[in-house]
Amino acid sequence: MVLNCRPNGTLKTCSQAEGAHPIEGFNLNTDSVEDFWNCDWMRDFRRRKIRGERIPQCEGCKRTEESGGGSKRQGYLDRYYEKYKHRIREDGYVEEMPAWWEFRLSSVCNSACRICTPKNSTLIEKEHTKHYDFIPEYDKKQLIGCSKKQLGDGGNFLNEFWKHVNQIDAIELHGGEPLIDDNVIMTLQQLVDTGHASRMHVHVHSNINKVDEYVVSLLNQFKSGWFGASIDAYGEENEFLRWPSKWKTVDHNFRSLKLHSQWRKSILSAITVYQCLSMWKFLDWFLEFQDDCDMFFYTVHSPDRFSLEMINLNTRLQAAEELETYKPILHKRHHEKIDNLINNLRSTRTPLEKEYKGFIEYNDALDKIRKQDSFKLFPHIREIYETSSTKIHS
């Protein structure tokens, strides 16, 4: 029951779905929600899910589950399946329009995270365009379509939203960085002014590089909410991974975030080959907030150039044992998240050579472009270069 779209108007079945825009022939810059919601592709997709078929778009979540981790797919099924299952017919047709809308009005962003793409960050788009000759072929392809019209540039998407607003239970704010997007802020204000906010839930994903008091005052007028702060590591490691953020600012903004009692705060960490061995530093910091804050560790499986398995298994097993020591001092509700990361660290899957090659090419390119030294903060990645047959880092 979720409407998921990209900043350029293309559509996906879910934010975790593999492939840039699997629903071909539709764009919410021009098309209506009715046009695609019960199109042949979507109805066939739902029928296949009902039959329990394994679907390519869902492979990311399936791999996470099979490696012992918790996936977005399973989490949403656990929370919302019973509430909305009656809306879907056996033939895949859904009578009602989406109840949960994901907002990606633009890719405007003040971060250029190592794992992100130019389609989701204007900073990355500018960086990769400027240094086009240095980036790998995979990343050159990611630039295609970035400069197309975005949802916030025209009125069609927002017109569709207001057309169906009475059927919408929740909105989920993504970016780019939604809290610096003028069109997102304007829509929040309009929802408050029209009274819809008082019956709606709002999900917020933010890098919290900037948290405006006015925006927080708008969020506090929604019935309920969930605020997910994207923080991948502690201190300098987070500054590296979520460049060019400053840890002092991130720490201050998270501590200063005041939301009413029907909100939940969470920290979302995308775990990669970079910081997978040093998440104990993050946990030392998180302990102060564990009473009223959740945490989620998402191991990055796509693109596969960030795979944890490129690090020697014995090294990863030592990191897993270190994390085990935190369970006695963490509340029990956090144990599942720790166990998910531990299970991923213990994975025995053998990575492919293309994973090593993809990492080395991208890491070398970004180190050169950003004048960073990944070996200084993450010395363990040297073994990726030593294991791979690709040219050694110089």
Side-chain angles (χ1 to χ4, degrees):
M1 294 308 298
V2 176
L3 171 65
N4 183 284
C5 52
R6 304 290 99 184
N8 63 5
T10 54
L11 293 146
K12 297 175 72 174
T13 52
C14 162
S15 62
Q16 302 298 106
E18 303 216 348
H21 40 83
I23 307 176
E24 297 182 0
F26 296 99
N27 189 298
L28 288 186
N29 275 311
T30 53
D31 297 314
S32 70
V33 173
E34 290 97 330
D35 287 338
F36 88 91
W37 191 237
N38 284 302
C39 69
D40 291 343
W41 193 99
M42 282 297 293
R43 292 177 67 180
D44 179 65
F45 175 83
R46 294 185 188 116
R47 287 195 296 268
R48 294 170 67 192
K49 294 295 288 182
I50 291 170
R51 292 195 296 264
E53 294 183 22
R54 188 147 184 160
I55 299 174
Q57 289 81 8
C58 303
E59 276 302 301
C61 281
K62 295 296 288 186
R63 287 200 301 271
T64 298
E65 294 161 15
E66 289 168 355
S67 65
S71 71
K72 182 174 183 178
R73 185 193 77 89
Q74 192 59 56
Y76 272 52
L77 283 174
D78 291 344
R79 289 194 295 272
Y80 303 116
Y81 177 70
E82 291 299 325
K83 180 177 180 179
Y84 293 118
K85 67 178 182 180
H86 68 282
R87 296 190 179 187
I88 305 174
R89 298 189 329 207
E90 289 188 6
D91 65 356
Y93 189 90
V94 181
E95 294 283 354
E96 300 179 55
M97 290 298 101
W100 186 301
W101 286 47
E102 293 193 9
F103 266 55
R104 287 180 173 83
L105 297 188
S106 78
S107 56
V108 171
C109 194
N110 48 16
S111 288
C113 304
R114 282 253 167 171
I115 65 165
C116 198
T117 71
K119 288 184 173 66
N120 292 310
S121 169
T122 47
L123 277 191
I124 296 179
E125 181 185 359
K126 292 174 183 177
E127 176 186 71
H128 286 193
T129 300
K130 180 179 179 180
H131 301 283
Y132 186 82
D133 292 339
F134 294 104
I135 62 175
E137 289 301 316
Y138 172 87
D139 299 282
K140 291 177 180 177
K141 293 178 181 178
Q142 296 301 308
L143 284 168
I144 298 173
C146 285
S147 298
K148 290 183 179 180
K149 182 178 179 181
Q150 301 203 327
L151 290 178
D153 296 335
N156 189 69
F157 176 80
L158 288 174
N159 287 340
E160 286 291 304
F161 172 76
W162 289 107
K163 178 181 176 181
H164 300 290
V165 69
N166 290 324
Q167 298 183 53
I168 300 172
D169 297 331
I171 58 173
E172 183 169 349
L173 307 183
H174 289 268
E177 170 51 38
L179 299 190
I180 64 170
D181 188 319
D182 290 341
N183 286 307
V184 170
I185 297 169
M186 178 186 67
T187 303
L188 293 176
Q189 181 68 69
Q190 291 173 335
L191 287 169
V192 169
D193 292 343
T194 55
H196 290 291
S198 63
R199 64 168 184 81
M200 276 187 178
H201 175 86
V202 59
H203 238 53
V204 181
H205 295 262
S206 174
N207 59 36
I208 64 171
N209 286 339
K210 180 182 179 182
V211 180
D212 187 276
E213 289 185 8
Y214 164 65
V215 175
V216 174
S217 72
L218 293 177
L219 296 177
N220 273 320
Q221 296 182 68
F222 281 76
K223 178 183 178 181
S224 61
W226 175 92
F227 193 102
S230 297
I231 303 174
D232 290 341
Y234 174 79
E236 286 183 302
E237 293 184 4
N238 193 71
E239 292 180 347
F240 177 93
L241 294 169
R242 305 192 70 84
W243 184 85
S245 68
K246 299 300 179 185
W247 178 252
K248 185 177 179 180
T249 300
V250 169
D251 179 70
H252 170 77
N253 287 344
F254 185 75
R255 292 174 185 275
S256 303
L257 186 61
K258 305 298 181 185
L259 297 163
H260 69 65
S261 61
Q262 297 306 306
W263 278 78
R264 288 295 301 173
K265 287 201 299 185
S266 297
I267 297 174
L268 283 66
S269 302
I271 307 299
T272 66
V273 68
Y274 287 109
Q275 89 284 34
C276 64
L277 304 183
S278 54
M279 286 306 289
W280 59 270
K281 299 177 185 178
F282 167 86
L283 290 175
D284 280 345
W285 174 79
F286 176 77
L287 286 171
E288 179 181 346
F289 310 105
Q290 68 162 326
D291 289 346
D292 58 1
C293 181
D294 295 318
M295 65 176 178
F296 294 91
F297 293 151
Y298 294 103
T299 301
V300 177
H301 293 286
S302 177
D304 54 16
R305 63 187 179 193
F306 299 115
S307 300
L308 275 54
E309 290 91 346
M310 290 187 290
I311 297 298
N312 177 273
L313 177 59
N314 287 332
T315 304
R316 287 186 279 116
L317 291 177
Q318 291 176 17
E321 289 305 308
E322 179 74 23
L323 293 178
E324 289 279 8
T325 66
Y326 281 83
K327 289 167 68 174
I329 54 178
L330 284 168
H331 297 323
K332 285 187 177 180
R333 75 173 191 276
H334 301 308
H335 288 190
E336 180 184 356
K337 284 75 175 183
I338 292 290
D339 287 337
N340 287 342
L341 176 53
I342 288 172
N343 289 335
N344 277 284
L345 284 168
R346 290 172 174 166
S347 169
T348 57
R349 183 185 71 88
T350 301
L352 302 174
E353 177 59 28
K354 72 180 183 70
E355 297 173 41
Y356 292 94
K357 183 175 185 292
F359 174 78
I360 291 171
E361 288 180 347
Y362 188 62
N363 189 60
D364 281 352
L366 260 63
D367 271 9
K368 183 174 183 178
I369 292 169
R370 298 179 180 179
K371 297 180 172 57
Q372 293 177 313
D373 184 356
S374 53
F375 287 176
K376 181 179 179 181
L377 278 177
F378 309 104
H380 62 275
I381 65 172
R382 284 184 180 275
E383 70 178 61
I384 296 176
Y385 289 76
E386 294 165 358
T387 302
S388 175
S389 60
T390 307
K391 184 179 179 180
I392 300 299
H393 182 79
S394 57

